Amino acid sequence: MRASFSYRSAILVVLLGVFTYLYGLDSRFAPKNGDEYPYMHIVRMTADAGHWLPLQSEMEGIKNTKPPLIFWQGIASTHWASEWTLADLRWPSVLYTGLTAFFLFLAVRRFSGNAQTGILAAAVWLSFFATYRYGRPFLADPPEVFWISLPFFAVLYWGKSAFESKFFFPLMAGICFGFALFAKSFAYIVPASFALGLYYWRWQQWSIPKVLILDLYKLVMIVALALGIFTLWFALDPNPEAVWNEFVLGENAGKFAARQSSYLMDLLRGGDSIWLLMITTIANAGLFSFVLISSLVQSWRKRRFLSLEEVLLLLLIAAFFIVFSLPSQRSGRYLLPVMPAFAALIALYWDRLPLWGFRIALLLQLLVLSLLLWIGINLQLSGLMGDAGAWTYSYCHWVLMAASLLIVLIGLLKRSQTKTLALAACFLVYCALTSSLSPLEGRLGRYSAETIAQLQGKDVWIPCDYRAKDEEYRLLMPGAKLHGYLAKDAADVNALTIAYPLVAVHVPLGVAPELCESCQIVGQRMEMRARHSNQEIQEMLMGQVGKHLFVTEYLVSTPAAIPDVSNIKDVCR
């Protein structure tokens, strides 16, 4: 029994984790990666074409950016883009993440002999910010992590049977790795097979001859099967040359080119150095980063007495780190498949871990919650108004904030509850973040049904600050034909109304736009700004949050002639 993590605590934390991953799933402001909107664009264009392949896109150089499995998933979950919401696109990602957590629980429970340890491993992995950020949106990471992890979970679960299996396990591993490659990249076969080779090496008592004689053919079978599944893309796609040029050469081989001065200098310094790769890998744990550090320290201290399973977990981590330190483009995101192994280590050492890591987590949580509370109170009391109403929170939001702060304070003060409450508070922070932006998910941040009806089939120009930004606007004004202009020009109302017949412009809150006599306001909503000057940041810290954090977006109809869109570059593309 784990004194600091009872069955009751386990059930409550898991339920809180499930709620957290489902709460705000349809939110435009959910933590995510910028790849989501380009992926949505490819899904929508491919679905409109009516064929699974080739993948379709209007973005230059971004068509075969990922294998088709993730896009087929989007086509299936949205019923060929007929049910176009973020929730429809994202729910398979949450399912993959949930299944990964479930199989992690099974594996850890089996080899540890303790169900609470298994539940704890799953909960810790779900509490990592990288899991929350990449495990919910419409991205290739959830299926990649699931399919890569499954064979390693199987080894931990079956043990000797998996290692000595001559056909079934290699077949299963090859199929799983194949699906992972078909979801993300063929490059992942290198760290995955390397890690599995290290597993066999350890099982054969570090004897290379035994591995070559007894296990090498299994690795060859696994790699061949996985790559065979991936190459189905070339066989099925009507234009395999484009796949080769855009994905194999452009998306993967290009990651080995020197990004700054030279490959060696990039390895040792700069934003792509191996040292930053270490930091970003640990930072994947988010609020639990220092807990992860303390678990690695614990593992080092008992390095001579590690169990077989602990060694296997560390070998998996080492294999992925070594392989992904080789490309010149290095990112902690590439090591997402080893985060379940980190979570398992934390769960195994839970009772032996010192409290300092958890207290740092609680202090970070207290800081984030206090900041969100301060911003929320300022917004509520500032009288911030949009045309659809005032910025107000429901009573549930304030209850959530108060309960979260209370739990964090109890965790800091009560030693026996520090670890469990630090884990639970990770999920509460994510819920608080979602709840803090909830007013923009309602009428305040959306166009009215009357406005949307007027936009059907019409050309509308919108501000774009990154590629495929129009996919976000497509959720706000479905049925409109969207075109992008530079987001930095969004406040230049005069120039925009002269250039475009129907355009979205930004003006400060409470300020009416200066329009021509024949211009008409079609609709308006409140929007959150993405970039701020140093002076604006200083004023926000002084309490003027609403003044600089938000703008009013007006849709304006003008007498301007419709531009020839065929001769104008769409900034969103």
Side-chain angles (χ1 to χ4, degrees):
M1 290 290 292
R2 296 193 170 273
S4 60
F5 197 71
S6 64
Y7 276 114
R8 180 181 298 177
S9 299
I11 293 172
L12 291 176
V13 170
V14 168
L15 290 177
L16 177 59
V18 172
F19 173 80
T20 301
Y21 274 73
L22 295 177
Y23 177 49
L25 187 62
D26 200 32
S27 173
R28 294 184 295 122
F29 306 103
K32 57 181 178 292
N33 177 269
D35 292 338
E36 184 174 41
Y37 288 134
Y39 289 2
M40 289 172 60
H41 173 77
I42 295 172
V43 168
R44 184 176 57 80
M45 295 297 297
T46 305
D48 288 346
H51 301 285
W52 296 101
L53 287 173
L55 301 175
Q56 302 293 328
S57 172
E58 293 178 346
M59 294 180 290
E60 295 181 10
I62 302 183
K63 179 182 291 185
N64 295 302
T65 184
K66 284 292 180 288
L69 186 61
I70 181 65
F71 306 112
W72 291 351
Q73 171 189 306
I75 291 173
S77 68
T78 61
H79 302 281
W80 289 86
S82 63
E83 299 177 10
W84 196 248
T85 67
L86 287 174
D88 285 306
L89 286 160
R90 289 172 174 173
W91 71 258
S93 296
V94 176
L95 179 60
Y96 270 121
T97 300
L99 288 173
T100 303
F102 176 70
F103 283 109
L104 175 61
F105 153 72
L106 290 181
V108 176
R109 183 193 66 171
R110 180 63 176 263
F111 75 75
S112 70
N114 192 314
Q116 289 162 269
T117 305
I119 296 174
L120 182 57
V124 168
W125 180 67
L126 291 175
S127 76
F128 290 164
F129 182 69
T131 308
Y132 183 72
R133 180 185 179 188
Y134 296 108
R136 298 201 317 152
F138 177 59
L139 297 170
D141 303 282
E144 168 220 354
V145 171
F146 172 76
W147 290 114
I148 285 181
S149 299
L150 203 56
F152 297 103
F153 292 161
V155 170
L156 294 173
Y157 187 89
W158 286 320
K160 180 180 179 180
S161 298
F163 281 117
E164 297 185 351
S165 172
K166 297 180 179 180
F167 179 76
F168 177 76
F169 175 76
L171 176 66
M172 185 273 287
I175 292 174
C176 289
F177 288 162
F179 279 121
L181 307 191
F182 210 50
K184 189 68 176 281
S185 171
F186 68 91
Y188 275 88
I189 193 58
V190 179
S193 58
F194 180 38
L196 208 51
L198 294 177
Y199 273 32
Y200 281 120
W201 189 27
R202 170 61 186 85
W203 179 253
Q204 299 297 351
Q205 302 297 319
W206 309 110
S207 172
I208 294 179
K210 286 185 178 180
V211 172
L212 295 176
I213 296 172
L214 300 175
D215 301 314
L216 180 60
Y217 79 93
K218 302 175 186 177
L219 290 172
V220 173
M221 181 192 307
I222 291 169
V223 172
L225 183 56
L227 291 177
I229 293 175
F230 173 78
T231 55
L232 288 175
W233 187 9
F234 293 89
L236 298 174
D237 199 294
N239 192 2
E241 291 183 2
V243 174
W244 177 264
N245 292 328
E246 296 172 22
F247 183 72
V248 177
L249 299 182
E251 182 75 11
N252 289 272
K255 289 183 170 61
F256 284 88
R259 294 167 65 84
Q260 300 295 332
S261 54
S262 68
Y263 176 85
L264 183 59
M265 296 305 295
D266 289 346
L267 177 68
L268 298 176
R269 70 180 186 185
D272 292 295
S273 68
I274 191 172
W275 318 116
L276 196 62
L277 178 62
M278 292 181 185
I279 294 173
T280 54
T281 300
I282 292 175
N284 282 336
L287 297 166
F288 254 38
S289 294
F290 289 93
V291 176
L292 175 56
I293 292 173
S294 70
S295 69
L296 293 176
V297 171
Q298 180 72 25
S299 179
W300 172 256
R301 287 175 175 173
K302 59 168 296 191
R303 59 190 181 278
R304 295 183 179 180
F305 308 100
L306 295 174
S307 66
L308 172 64
E309 291 79 13
E310 291 172 75
V311 172
L312 295 180
L313 292 171
L314 292 170
L315 287 175
L316 173 62
I317 295 167
F320 270 74
F321 184 85
I322 291 170
V323 170
F324 283 113
S325 66
L326 298 178
S328 56
Q329 182 177 332
R330 303 174 185 90
S331 169
R333 184 181 179 185
Y334 299 149
L335 276 81
L336 289 178
V338 305
M339 296 313 295
F342 280 126
L345 288 175
I346 292 174
L348 291 172
Y349 302 148
W350 185 263
D351 285 339
R352 287 172 285 174
L353 291 178
L355 292 179
W356 63 264
F358 297 91
R359 284 174 173 159
I360 292 176
L362 286 165
L363 289 173
L364 292 173
Q365 292 157 0
L366 180 63
L367 177 64
V368 174
L369 290 170
S370 299
L371 182 61
L372 291 175
L373 182 62
W374 178 79
I375 293 175
I377 291 174
N378 271 276
L379 292 175
Q380 182 105 346
L381 298 180
S382 65
L384 192 64
M385 295 288 292
D387 293 282
W391 184 286
T392 56
Y393 290 110
S394 66
Y395 289 115
C396 292
H397 171 78
W398 300 116
V399 170
L400 170 64
M401 298 302 296
S404 300
L405 285 169
L406 180 62
I407 286 174
V408 169
L409 291 173
I410 293 174
L412 285 169
L413 298 174
K414 195 171 182 180
R415 290 174 56 91
S416 62
Q417 296 298 318
T418 295
K419 295 180 178 181
T420 300
L421 295 184
L423 177 58
C426 289
F427 298 113
L428 292 173
V429 168
Y430 303 150
C431 290
L433 179 62
T434 301
S435 181
S436 294
L437 292 170
S438 58
L440 285 180
E441 297 294 347
R443 293 175 57 241
L444 201 62
R446 296 183 178 273
Y447 291 110
S448 66
E450 294 78 8
T451 298
I452 294 175
Q454 295 181 57
L455 299 178
Q456 298 302 299
K458 293 185 178 180
D459 293 282
V460 183
W461 275 260
I462 58 170
C464 280
D465 51 5
Y466 52 86
R467 301 185 81 172
K469 171 75 171 181
D470 58 309
E471 294 300 333
E472 179 180 356
Y473 272 89
R474 204 172 299 278
L475 300 168
L476 298 170
M477 44 180 92
K481 299 177 182 178
L482 303 178
H483 313 279
Y485 67 82
L486 289 173
K488 66 181 181 65
D489 300 328
D492 193 349
V493 178
N494 185 54
L496 292 172
T497 53
I498 291 175
Y500 305 116
L502 188 55
V503 61
V505 300
H506 289 172
V507 299
L509 291 176
V511 178
E514 297 182 4
L515 304 174
C516 63
E517 293 184 2
S518 54
C519 294
Q520 293 183 344
I521 296 176
V522 179
Q524 57 272 320
R525 68 184 185 93
M526 189 183 293
E527 178 63 307
M528 186 167 63
R529 290 180 57 194
R531 293 182 172 89
H532 304 87
S533 66
N534 291 333
Q535 182 179 353
E536 289 172 338
I537 293 174
Q538 291 176 4
E539 292 183 5
M540 284 194 291
L541 292 175
M542 297 300 294
Q544 301 181 45
V545 179
K547 177 182 177 182
H548 299 299
L549 191 58
F550 303 99
V551 294
T552 299
E553 182 176 271
Y554 287 94
L555 274 177
V556 182
S557 175
T558 79
I562 298 178
D564 184 2
V565 295
S566 62
N567 294 325
I568 301 177
K569 177 175 174 56
D570 192 328
V571 177
C572 293
R573 297 290 173 261

